[in-house]
Amino acid sequence: MTDACIVGWAHSPFGKLDDDVEGLIGRVAGAAIADAGIEPAAVDGVVVGQFNSGFSKQDFPGSLVLQAVPELRFKPAMRCENACASGSAAIHAARDFIAAGRGRVALVVGVEKMTATPAPDVGDNLLGASYRREEGEVPGGFAGVFGRIAGAYFQAHGDQSDALAAIAAKNHRNGVDNPYAQMRRDLGFGFCRQPSEKNPHVAGPLKRTDCSLVSDGAAALVLADADTARALRRAVRFRAAVHVNDFLPLSRRDPTWFEGGALAWSKALDEAGLAVGDLSFAELHDCFTIAELMEYEAMGLAERGRGARLVLDGHTAADGRFPVNRSGGLKAKGHPVGATGVSMHVMAAMQLAGEAGALQLPRADLAGVYNMGGAGVANYVSILERLEA
């Protein structure tokens, strides 16, 4: 299951864009194929990750890729949905397609159009990633769900406001260097720490700067089997790829611990034959700053309840010992839900290939990627490294 390699990619800007879903797909599908250095006819299958949940009236996005790349007519195409991890679900489906011998090359597109939806409907659509029977009336929508998680974590481990502000400030500072990021502004720790008219509390202890942005955008990558990949100009291989699902209702889990995420990380590191300290950097799913804090602990960087020290001591900064979200993360880059998992893999692959431009880290040998659907429900971990010829 580790034979598929990333051999090409493309990424749209994230933000408020004029394109509909079809237009967003059109920005990246052909560009990723061209970046891989192959002809469209070499693509054997297409997988699209999209959450939708009411954001777009036009569904059936797998077939929309053919509008952008007509040479893909008559190739198998499908959509994958797994809430905020729909992009990673699409990547896994494409890896399975290649591992099963159904094809040697697959195109993966992640896409979401969110900003055309009125704000109250955005919140309701996102609640589709929670257990509506118990959480559907939570004030603040999906932010309210994570506000409750943050409140429970604060109660268990003390006030973490400094750590959450440091995570937000770090990721906004990183986002300045990302040409695809929705918000390229260094907000600073002080602004992120203090409630204000421009940074009010949204849900529980979470302020506006603790919440990812409503975004439009798309990202795409091309996967190829290892033999095909070695003949191309560069390739990034999956040293491990793991998917773990947990219960949907928060009432059936400890809200202060991403147990499914911890299991996914443990399985991925075992599969790769690595310890977490062997990784060079990580792209983590910071839909809310409390999520990144809890993910430090789930992946084993810190003991439970002690993740704050990592960010407060600069450990996870761009120039720290273990950079996290050098891309700016969902916090600054934006979070077009279906595109996020693909984007995270693209950003990691760019680092490993030495093609990250102003974002490039001095050490980028092994990458960890964690993409999460819902509140720690669908947990995807990838460990990536450059494939040497």
Side-chain angles (χ1 to χ4, degrees):
M1 292 301 296
T2 57
D3 288 338
C5 301
I6 301 170
V7 296
W9 51 77
H11 202 296
S12 82
F14 283 1
K16 188 173 183 178
L17 307 178
D18 292 335
D19 303 83
D20 58 11
V21 168
E22 182 178 336
L24 291 169
I25 291 172
R27 285 185 180 230
V28 297
I33 295 170
D35 183 68
I38 61 175
E39 295 298 322
V43 175
D44 299 308
V46 179
V47 189
V48 175
Q50 183 194 27
F51 178 51
N52 201 353
S53 189
F55 284 115
S56 173
K57 288 187 177 181
Q58 175 61 66
D59 225 316
F60 207 11
S63 297
L64 290 177
V65 178
L66 278 62
Q67 298 291 92
V69 189
E71 296 91 340
L72 298 178
R73 188 183 185 193
F74 305 129
K75 302 294 177 76
M78 61 175 286
R79 168 198 174 190
C80 285
E81 183 276 313
N82 218 358
C84 314
S86 295
S88 288
I91 292 171
H92 275 239
R95 293 181 71 249
D96 291 346
F97 175 84
I98 291 171
R102 295 184 57 207
R104 303 188 69 174
V105 178
L107 171 67
V108 179
V109 179
V111 64
E112 209 74 63
K113 173 72 178 179
M114 302 174 71
T115 66
T117 302
D121 294 337
V122 169
D124 186 64
N125 290 352
L126 291 174
L127 271 174
S130 65
Y131 189 54
R132 286 188 181 271
R133 183 172 295 179
E134 296 179 1
E135 300 152 20
E137 302 303 321
V138 172
F142 205 56
V145 172
F146 271 88
R148 288 188 174 183
I149 291 171
Y153 188 97
F154 280 33
Q155 186 173 9
H157 303 299
D159 189 327
Q160 305 293 317
S161 298
D162 285 351
L164 299 193
I167 289 169
K170 167 183 70 70
N171 291 349
H172 279 291
R173 184 166 58 250
N174 286 342
V176 171
D177 297 324
N178 188 347
Y180 305 119
Q182 182 169 353
M183 185 179 290
R184 300 181 68 186
R185 189 158 71 245
D186 185 352
L187 298 179
F189 174 81
F191 179 82
C192 296
R193 178 64 179 85
Q194 296 301 323
S196 64
E197 183 178 348
K198 292 185 177 180
N199 188 28
H201 278 100
V202 174
L206 301 180
K207 299 183 288 295
R208 183 174 292 164
T209 50
D210 294 308
C211 307
S212 57
L213 303 163
V214 175
S215 313
D216 308 328
L221 53 82
V222 176
L223 296 181
D225 67 81
D227 288 342
T228 302
R230 286 191 176 90
L232 300 174
R233 67 187 182 92
R234 43 93 155 106
V236 171
R237 82 179 185 104
F238 288 82
R239 186 151 169 174
V242 171
H243 170 205
V244 169
N245 252 61
D246 204 348
F247 292 122
L248 182 57
L250 272 175
S251 63
R252 300 193 66 178
R253 298 180 278 132
D254 179 351
T256 69
W257 174 236
F258 288 152
E259 187 174 359
L263 181 59
W265 273 107
S266 176
K267 286 177 174 286
L269 290 166
D270 284 349
E271 183 177 309
L274 299 169
V276 68
D278 296 324
L279 302 178
S280 310
F281 67 95
E283 288 289 323
L284 301 184
H285 191 106
D286 60 320
C287 50
F288 300 92
T289 52
I290 185 64
E292 180 171 324
L293 179 63
M294 292 170 62
E295 287 157 17
Y296 295 162
E297 299 166 14
M299 68 187 296
L301 287 176
E303 295 179 7
R304 289 185 64 176
R306 300 193 176 184
R309 288 265 50 98
L310 293 173
V311 67
L312 293 173
D313 291 346
H315 185 94
T316 56
D319 59 354
R321 287 175 291 167
F322 189 80
V324 171
N325 288 334
R326 181 65 183 98
S327 68
L330 286 57
K331 182 78 263 298
K333 184 179 59 176
H335 183 25
V337 177
T340 288
V342 180
S343 169
M344 297 171 84
H345 284 80
V346 168
M347 289 293 162
M350 289 170 64
Q351 288 284 353
L352 295 168
E355 299 176 25
L359 295 169
Q360 187 66 51
L361 293 165
R363 174 176 172 249
D365 303 315
L366 287 163
V369 177
Y370 174 70
N371 182 205
M372 175 175 71
V377 179
N379 303 275
Y380 289 85
V381 174
S382 297
I383 295 178
L384 305 174
E385 66 181 356
R386 180 145 187 175
L387 178 72
E388 300 301 333

